[in-house]
Amino acid sequence: MRDQQTFRNQDLVLRVSSSIDPARFDITRYEPFLDALCGNREYQKEAIRTVLRYLLGGRYPNLRALAEENFHSNETLRDRYGTFAEMTRHLQLPDRLSCSVDLATATGKSYVMYGIARIMLAEGAVDRVLVLCPSRTIEEGLLQKFRALSADITLRDLLPEDARVRNPHIINGSESIVDGTICVENFHATLEHVKSSIRDSLRGKGERTLVLNDEVHHVYNKPISQDATSRNLKRWKEFLLDPDFGFRYIVGFSGTCYIENDYFADVVYRYSLREAIEQRFAKSIDYVAEDTSQSQHEKLQKIYDNHRENKLRYRRVKPLTILVTRDIAACKRLTDDLIDFLAEQEGIPREQAEKKVLIVTSAQEHQANVRALADVDRPDNPVEWITSVSMLTEGWDVQNVFQIVPHEERAFNSKLLIAQVLGRGLRIPDAYRGEPTVVTVFNHDAWYQASWLKTVTTVG
């Protein structure tokens, strides 16, 4: 058995050579566009440049070639995998121009995706772009963001005059994916039994199609449950590999680039949570690692005190607290306890306290509450507390979360899930942009271990 070894994730990132022929692809032509799109977020620009050098530079015919170049030049990769054959075994799509981009949650993956899509179309390298994501919530958010960016005349005018596509049409799978379009859909639309234009529009056109996969860890990890959605996730990768389409350009994006606890072998750019916090693009994290409460009431009192302190500290917004349980029954019990506590603590009728708490689970009775998440940041919305069953993972991009309470150890069975839920609290409200902001994680030592120690990969 191999001795246990630990590697820094940044040392496992594949380096894309900057030695490319400018006659083949000249990124400098797009610098004004990148400045307007990304502003002062230099890491977004560098992520876009890196992926485009890889896809358009002509140096690499596929991911295997990039990995082999790095294996021979990077001693850490040789220590990690031992042989190139072993490293190849960890590559998900070795025969395609495929790669992953690791951007910490709350750092604007959508801008990077959009920038890559626009430049690939402008260069004429592809005729169309397909953006796939794991849920309708994320799909709606991406469509809204992409349509707003496409309506920006400044971005259009900053593209080179000879751009093949100056302003793509943003659609979903209900329309045919014709040349010059960016189609945003959740991966369910790729399934054979689903009514969608995707399969008919793209059959035989993969060589001229760019596929961007948001939250790509879903593509490569085993389903976390046996419900229909999770079972269908494994078919996402099957679609990417389907010879009926023959996709050549495939790029994935995630803030949690892990297969279980193994770091992806195909990451070409990484911007870590630590960097985002240090540069004030994400909130700092304050861990309350130990709680000695003797009762539920005492614990709720401490959580309430933190919440009240956040309301005083961040008065320009309405701070939110999230409490997460292991199952629906526990979530219902906690919700009732919290409502009773608020009514007593604040001296208000229980009906008024109920309006301050939003319970979010997969139960049919709570479906309307899932949709209501989109509005909880609004100052006129009475919700201040959200109780959930590990559902608040992706696609819920509110900014006002300042406290997260993993209420039970068993609510979290993986570092990946911990990182995803933590991500809901990292976004900085516009009112505090550039200022020091903190999200408190109350009483869960495993969260401290998962968030900071996930900057390394340990293998044995």
Side-chain angles (χ1 to χ4, degrees), residues 296-304 334 337-338 341:
Q296 174 87 307
H297 188 279
E298 184 181 351
K299 183 173 182 177
L300 288 175
Q301 184 66 59
K302 293 177 181 178
I303 295 166
Y304 182 84
L334 175 60
D337 289 348
L338 177 59
F341 175 86

Side-chain angles (χ1 to χ4, degrees), residues 265-428:
D266 67 348
V267 174
V268 298
Y269 185 82
R270 171 179 168 83
Y271 184 69
S272 69
L273 174 58
R274 187 185 297 274
E275 292 173 294
I277 290 173
E278 289 175 349
Q279 297 174 22
R280 294 187 179 175
F281 289 118
K283 295 189 187 92
S284 298
I285 307 168
D286 180 24
Y287 292 93
V288 180
E290 183 178 0
D291 175 39
T292 57
S293 301
Q294 299 300 307
S295 67
Q296 174 87 307
H297 188 279
E298 184 181 351
K299 183 173 182 177
L300 288 175
Q301 184 66 59
K302 293 177 181 178
I303 295 166
Y304 182 84
D305 290 344
N306 289 340
H307 183 81
R308 184 176 56 184
E309 184 177 333
N310 284 333
K311 291 176 71 173
L312 292 172
R313 184 175 181 181
Y314 303 108
R315 284 172 286 183
R316 293 176 231 160
V317 297
K318 182 191 66 173
L320 301 169
T321 289
I322 298 173
L323 301 95
V324 189
T325 65
R326 69 180 181 273
D327 56 38
I328 294 175
C331 192
K332 289 181 177 180
R333 289 194 298 271
L334 175 60
T335 302
D336 286 337
D337 289 348
L338 177 59
I339 291 171
D340 289 339
F341 175 86
L342 292 176
E344 177 187 350
Q345 183 73 27
E346 299 182 359
I348 58 177
R350 196 177 195 281
E351 294 76 15
Q352 186 175 343
E354 286 176 347
K355 295 179 181 179
K356 295 191 173 191
V357 182
L358 186 71
I359 179 172
V360 181
T361 77
S362 59
Q364 189 62 37
E365 62 190 288
H366 301 143
Q367 290 308 296
N369 294 355
V370 176
R371 294 188 292 272
L373 282 171
D375 297 321
V376 293
D377 265 351
R378 287 171 38 185
D380 60 343
N381 188 314
V383 172
E384 296 181 24
W385 304 80
I386 299 166
T387 56
S388 182
V389 185
S390 305
M391 287 184 62
L392 306 176
T393 54
E394 301 154 347
W396 184 54
D397 294 337
V398 299
Q399 301 175 337
N400 293 0
V401 175
F402 285 92
Q403 182 174 209
I404 300 175
V405 184
H407 202 65
E408 298 153 309
E409 289 280 344
R410 286 180 291 171
F412 300 91
N413 56 12
S414 74
K415 292 181 179 181
L416 183 64
L417 181 57
I418 289 173
Q420 289 170 354
V421 176
L422 177 61
R424 300 314 100 207
L426 294 178
R427 284 177 172 78
I428 298 175

Side-chain angles (χ1 to χ4, degrees), residues 124-360:
V126 296
D127 298 322
R128 63 201 73 80
V129 178
L130 174 63
V131 181
L132 294 176
C133 57
S135 70
R136 188 170 297 279
T137 302
I138 297 178
E139 174 196 339
E140 291 171 353
L142 287 173
L143 279 170
Q144 183 179 13
K145 178 69 66 62
F146 280 24
R147 283 169 176 161
L149 291 170
S150 288
D152 189 333
I153 297 174
T154 299
L155 291 178
R156 181 197 66 192
D157 291 346
L158 287 174
L159 289 172
E161 291 185 5
D162 61 350
R164 299 284 184 87
V165 177
R166 297 196 65 80
N167 203 21
H169 185 41
I170 310 299
I171 64 171
N172 63 16
S174 64
E175 301 179 52
S176 295
I177 309 174
V178 298
D179 291 359
T181 59
I182 299 176
C183 176
V184 180
E185 259 295 356
N186 71 79
F187 80 97
H188 295 87
T190 68
L191 303 178
E192 291 187 19
H193 67 276
V194 175
K195 265 193 162 183
S196 165
S197 70
I198 290 179
R199 300 186 77 89
D200 288 340
S201 295
L202 299 182
R203 188 167 281 108
K205 298 180 179 178
E207 281 284 326
R208 300 284 302 169
T209 301
L210 168 65
V211 183
L212 304 178
N213 300 291
D214 195 15
E215 308 297 352
V216 72
H217 51 271
H218 287 292
V219 181
Y220 304 144
N221 275 280
K222 296 177 181 178
I224 60 174
S225 69
Q226 292 304 310
D227 60 23
T229 298
S230 294
R231 289 197 306 271
N232 283 331
L233 277 167
K234 67 179 183 180
R235 300 170 69 179
W236 190 341
K237 184 178 177 181
E238 293 172 5
F239 171 75
L240 299 177
L241 290 171
D242 194 326
D244 282 353
F245 307 104
F247 296 120
R248 181 186 181 199
Y249 302 106
I250 303 173
V251 184
F253 301 83
S254 177
T256 48
C257 286
Y258 292 87
I259 300 173
E260 296 181 351
N261 288 323
D262 267 354
Y263 195 61
F264 282 9
D266 67 348
V267 174
V268 298
Y269 185 82
R270 171 179 168 83
Y271 184 69
S272 69
L273 174 58
R274 187 185 297 274
E275 292 173 294
I277 290 173
E278 289 175 349
Q279 297 174 22
R280 294 187 179 175
F281 289 118
K283 295 189 187 92
S284 298
I285 307 168
D286 180 24
Y287 292 93
V288 180
E290 183 178 0
D291 175 39
T292 57
S293 301
Q294 299 300 307
S295 67
Q296 174 87 307
H297 188 279
E298 184 181 351
K299 183 173 182 177
L300 288 175
Q301 184 66 59
K302 293 177 181 178
I303 295 166
Y304 182 84
D305 290 344
N306 289 340
H307 183 81
R308 184 176 56 184
E309 184 177 333
N310 284 333
K311 291 176 71 173
L312 292 172
R313 184 175 181 181
Y314 303 108
R315 284 172 286 183
R316 293 176 231 160
V317 297
K318 182 191 66 173
L320 301 169
T321 289
I322 298 173
L323 301 95
V324 189
T325 65
R326 69 180 181 273
D327 56 38
I328 294 175
C331 192
K332 289 181 177 180
R333 289 194 298 271
L334 175 60
T335 302
D336 286 337
D337 289 348
L338 177 59
I339 291 171
D340 289 339
F341 175 86
L342 292 176
E344 177 187 350
Q345 183 73 27
E346 299 182 359
I348 58 177
R350 196 177 195 281
E351 294 76 15
Q352 186 175 343
E354 286 176 347
K355 295 179 181 179
K356 295 191 173 191
V357 182
L358 186 71
I359 179 172
V360 181

Side-chain angles (χ1 to χ4, degrees), residues 20 24-25 51-58 119-120 123 125 249:
I20 61 174
R24 187 177 184 108
F25 173 63
V51 171
L52 291 171
R53 287 202 313 271
Y54 170 56
L55 297 181
L56 300 179
I119 294 175
M120 288 288 284
E123 282 288 295
Y249 302 106

Side-chain angles (χ1 to χ4, degrees), residues 20-57:
I20 61 174
D21 183 358
R24 187 177 184 108
F25 173 63
D26 183 5
I27 187 62
T28 62
R29 297 180 347 121
Y30 294 95
E31 290 300 324
F33 171 82
L34 293 179
D35 287 340
L37 175 66
C38 304
N40 67 338
R41 297 191 175 216
E42 294 298 324
Y43 63 88
Q44 292 180 350
K45 301 175 193 176
E46 191 53 33
I48 294 170
R49 294 184 192 112
T50 300
V51 171
L52 291 171
R53 287 202 313 271
Y54 170 56
L55 297 181
L56 300 179

